[in-house]
Amino acid sequence: YLLIRACILLLTPGFVLGQGTAIFAHNDYLKTEPLHAAYRLQVEFVEVDIFLVGDQLLVGHTQQELKPGRTLDSLYLIPLQLYVNQHHGNIYADTTQSLALVIDLKTGGNTVTVLLETLHKFKDLVNARNLRFILSGSVPDRSRWSTFPDYLHI
Protein backbone atom coordinates (compact mmCIF):
# COMPACT_ATOMS: atom_id res chain seq x y z
CA TYR A 1 0.00 0.00 0.00
CA LEU A 2 2.82 2.39 0.85
CA LEU A 3 4.50 1.92 -2.51
CA ILE A 4 1.22 2.30 -4.38
CA ARG A 5 0.38 5.46 -2.44
CA ALA A 6 3.84 6.89 -3.06
CA CYS A 7 3.52 6.16 -6.79
CA ILE A 8 0.07 7.77 -6.93
CA LEU A 9 1.38 10.85 -5.14
CA LEU A 10 4.39 11.07 -7.45
CA LEU A 11 2.13 10.82 -10.52
CA THR A 12 -0.32 13.40 -9.22
CA PRO A 13 -0.03 16.70 -11.14
CA GLY A 14 1.51 19.37 -8.97
CA PHE A 15 2.97 16.94 -6.45
CA VAL A 16 6.57 17.70 -5.56
CA LEU A 17 8.42 15.96 -2.77
CA GLY A 18 9.40 18.30 0.01
CA GLN A 19 6.54 20.73 -0.47
CA GLY A 20 4.39 19.91 2.52
CA THR A 21 3.09 16.49 1.49
CA ALA A 22 3.72 13.82 4.08
CA ILE A 23 3.68 10.10 3.43
CA PHE A 24 2.12 7.95 6.16
CA ALA A 25 3.05 4.27 6.42
CA HIS A 26 -0.12 2.76 7.92
CA ASN A 27 0.18 -0.71 9.53
CA ASP A 28 3.81 -0.70 8.46
CA TYR A 29 4.53 -3.92 10.37
CA LEU A 30 2.48 -5.86 7.79
CA LYS A 31 5.12 -5.12 5.16
CA THR A 32 7.80 -7.63 4.22
CA GLU A 33 10.39 -5.31 5.75
CA PRO A 34 8.77 -3.38 8.60
CA LEU A 35 10.24 0.12 8.90
CA HIS A 36 13.01 -0.30 6.32
CA ALA A 37 10.90 0.10 3.16
CA ALA A 38 9.19 3.17 4.62
CA TYR A 39 12.54 4.53 5.77
CA ARG A 40 14.02 4.21 2.28
CA LEU A 41 11.10 6.30 0.99
CA GLN A 42 11.80 8.86 3.73
CA VAL A 43 8.25 8.77 5.00
CA GLU A 44 7.35 11.24 7.71
CA PHE A 45 4.97 9.01 9.68
CA VAL A 46 5.25 5.30 10.44
CA GLU A 47 2.41 3.69 12.37
CA VAL A 48 2.81 0.66 14.59
CA ASP A 49 0.08 -1.00 16.69
CA ILE A 50 1.21 -2.46 20.01
CA PHE A 51 -0.29 -4.72 22.65
CA LEU A 52 1.10 -5.20 26.14
CA VAL A 53 1.40 -8.97 26.65
CA GLY A 54 3.05 -9.81 29.96
CA ASP A 55 5.96 -7.40 30.03
CA GLN A 56 6.46 -7.25 26.25
CA LEU A 57 5.16 -4.77 23.69
CA LEU A 58 4.09 -6.99 20.80
CA VAL A 59 3.32 -5.61 17.36
CA GLY A 60 0.10 -6.43 15.49
CA HIS A 61 -3.26 -5.02 14.50
CA THR A 62 -5.23 -7.69 16.34
CA GLN A 63 -4.39 -10.09 19.14
CA GLN A 64 -4.61 -12.97 16.65
CA GLU A 65 -1.70 -11.45 14.68
CA LEU A 66 0.67 -11.28 17.66
CA LYS A 67 3.76 -13.46 17.50
CA PRO A 68 6.57 -13.90 20.02
CA GLY A 69 9.64 -11.98 18.91
CA ARG A 70 7.70 -9.38 16.92
CA THR A 71 8.27 -6.67 19.48
CA LEU A 72 8.40 -2.91 19.28
CA ASP A 73 12.10 -3.15 20.16
CA SER A 74 13.08 -5.65 17.49
CA LEU A 75 11.00 -4.28 14.61
CA TYR A 76 11.32 -0.53 15.25
CA LEU A 77 13.42 0.75 18.12
CA ILE A 78 16.64 -1.17 17.43
CA PRO A 79 16.60 -0.35 13.70
CA LEU A 80 15.77 3.30 14.44
CA GLN A 81 18.67 3.39 16.90
CA LEU A 82 21.00 2.19 14.15
CA TYR A 83 19.76 4.90 11.75
CA VAL A 84 20.13 7.63 14.37
CA ASN A 85 23.65 6.48 15.22
CA GLN A 86 24.54 6.27 11.53
CA HIS A 87 23.40 9.87 11.00
CA HIS A 88 24.97 11.32 14.15
CA GLY A 89 21.78 12.03 16.09
CA ASN A 90 19.46 12.57 13.13
CA ILE A 91 16.99 10.05 11.79
CA TYR A 92 17.82 10.75 8.14
CA ALA A 93 21.02 11.88 6.43
CA ASP A 94 19.03 14.92 5.29
CA THR A 95 18.80 16.76 8.60
CA THR A 96 15.74 18.71 7.44
CA GLN A 97 13.75 15.48 7.12
CA SER A 98 11.86 14.19 10.17
CA LEU A 99 10.11 11.00 11.18
CA ALA A 100 7.29 10.40 13.62
CA LEU A 101 6.70 6.92 14.98
CA VAL A 102 2.96 6.81 15.61
CA ILE A 103 2.41 4.21 18.32
CA ASP A 104 -1.19 3.05 18.42
CA LEU A 105 -1.86 1.60 21.85
CA LYS A 106 -4.20 -1.37 21.53
CA THR A 107 -4.19 -2.08 25.26
CA GLY A 108 -4.63 0.26 28.22
CA GLY A 109 -3.53 -0.35 31.76
CA ASN A 110 0.26 -0.36 32.12
CA THR A 111 0.98 -0.14 28.39
CA VAL A 112 2.23 3.46 28.55
CA THR A 113 4.33 2.72 31.64
CA VAL A 114 6.03 -0.21 29.89
CA LEU A 115 6.42 1.88 26.71
CA LEU A 116 8.15 4.67 28.65
CA GLU A 117 10.43 2.16 30.38
CA THR A 118 11.28 0.71 26.98
CA LEU A 119 11.93 4.07 25.33
CA HIS A 120 14.09 5.08 28.29
CA LYS A 121 16.55 2.35 27.24
CA PHE A 122 17.00 4.07 23.87
CA LYS A 123 18.51 7.40 24.92
CA ASP A 124 19.77 8.23 21.41
CA LEU A 125 16.26 7.86 20.04
CA VAL A 126 14.48 10.01 22.58
CA ASN A 127 17.21 12.64 22.15
CA ALA A 128 17.28 12.52 18.34
CA ARG A 129 16.74 15.95 16.83
CA ASN A 130 14.16 14.99 14.22
CA LEU A 131 12.42 11.89 15.57
CA ARG A 132 9.11 12.11 17.41
CA PHE A 133 6.94 9.56 19.17
CA ILE A 134 3.20 10.10 18.90
CA LEU A 135 0.65 8.08 20.86
CA SER A 136 -2.79 7.17 19.58
CA GLY A 137 -5.44 4.62 20.47
CA SER A 138 -5.93 3.72 24.14
CA VAL A 139 -4.10 6.76 25.46
CA PRO A 140 -4.18 7.50 29.19
CA ASP A 141 -6.52 10.04 30.70
CA ARG A 142 -5.69 13.63 29.76
CA SER A 143 -4.86 14.42 33.41
CA ARG A 144 -1.68 12.28 33.08
CA TRP A 145 -0.34 13.86 29.90
CA SER A 146 1.67 16.56 31.64
CA THR A 147 3.67 13.86 33.45
CA PHE A 148 5.00 12.37 30.21
CA PRO A 149 8.44 13.24 28.83
CA ASP A 150 8.65 15.99 26.21
CA TYR A 151 9.59 13.53 23.45
CA LEU A 152 6.19 11.80 23.76
CA HIS A 153 3.31 13.49 21.95
CA ILE A 154 -0.39 12.74 22.18
Side-chain angles (χ1 to χ4, degrees), residues 4-82:
I4 293 169
R5 181 159 185 236
C7 289
I8 290 169
L9 288 174
L10 291 172
L11 296 173
T12 302
F15 175 79
V16 179
L17 282 174
Q19 290 191 345
T21 301
I23 299 174
F24 189 97
H26 184 253
N27 293 344
D28 174 75
Y29 49 85
L30 296 174
K31 311 298 185 277
T32 306
E33 285 184 292
L35 180 65
H36 300 289
Y39 182 84
R40 284 191 296 273
L41 289 172
Q42 293 189 332
V43 301
E44 291 185 30
F45 299 91
V46 173
E47 186 225 14
V48 57
D49 296 331
I50 63 168
F51 288 81
L52 178 61
V53 178
D55 63 347
Q56 290 194 311
L57 297 171
L58 297 182
V59 172
H61 189 68
T62 66
Q63 286 187 315
Q64 292 74 27
E65 294 175 353
L66 301 179
K67 295 178 185 165
R70 290 184 54 85
T71 65
L72 181 65
D73 294 38
S74 65
L75 295 179
Y76 292 92
L77 301 181
I78 292 170
L80 286 171
Q81 179 83 36
L82 294 173

